Amino acid sequence: MNPDPKSETTADKAMDAWYANSIYFDYNTGKPKAGKETEAYDFLNVINTETTDVGFGVKDGYVLGYFCPKANTDPEALKKNTPREREPPKMPVLPAGTLLKENATCPELDDTGKRPACAEGLCCG
């Protein structure tokens, strides 16, 4: 739940909040801190290197994150698949023969590093 009902609820804010839960994960043991397992697993799903698909739903101040596959909770796997530093994802390579929607444009990042919301006519809309 968005703790500030006056601010917009977004997947970006949820990701930042989930990432902040890294304080509940012990990188040395590969285990969540006792009593903070839920918070630690929120973080681990965000950062896990084996995650291949991500999706979000936003409604009424809540964000639902879908991470697939979910993080393997075995401590040895977590030590291996949980990087200590957050790195932005790498842009995928466009497969040969793939074309963008006709006359579509992909807006450039703005000064904050974000793109405008998807809309009809954009490559994402």
Side-chain angles (χ1 to χ4, degrees), residues 96-109:
T98 303
L99 302 174
L100 293 176
K101 191 173 168 181
E102 187 175 337
N103 298 320
T105 57
C106 289
E108 296 297 319
L109 299 176

Side-chain angles (χ1 to χ4, degrees), residues 25 28-31 72-82:
F25 176 70
N28 296 318
T29 65
K31 295 180 181 179
N72 179 339
T73 58
D74 174 73
E76 291 305 313
L78 289 174
K79 287 194 287 186
K80 177 183 163 199
N81 298 324
T82 306

Side-chain angles (χ1 to χ4, degrees), residues 7-48:
S7 72
E8 181 181 16
T9 300
T10 67
D12 285 337
K13 288 180 185 177
M15 288 289 287
D16 289 342
W18 293 328
Y19 185 76
N21 285 336
S22 64
I23 62 173
Y24 303 118
F25 176 70
D26 185 330
Y27 287 91
N28 296 318
T29 65
K31 295 180 181 179
K33 297 199 174 160
K36 294 293 184 178
E37 292 84 359
T38 298
E39 293 85 347
Y41 291 132
D42 285 344
F43 160 70
L44 292 165
N45 278 317
V46 167
I47 198 77
N48 193 280

Side-chain angles (χ1 to χ4, degrees), residues 1-5 7-14 18 55-65:
M1 176 79 179
N2 184 347
D4 180 4
S7 72
E8 181 181 16
T9 300
T10 67
D12 285 337
K13 288 180 185 177
W18 293 328
F56 299 96
V58 181
K59 185 174 181 179
D60 299 332
Y62 289 91
V63 176
L64 173 68

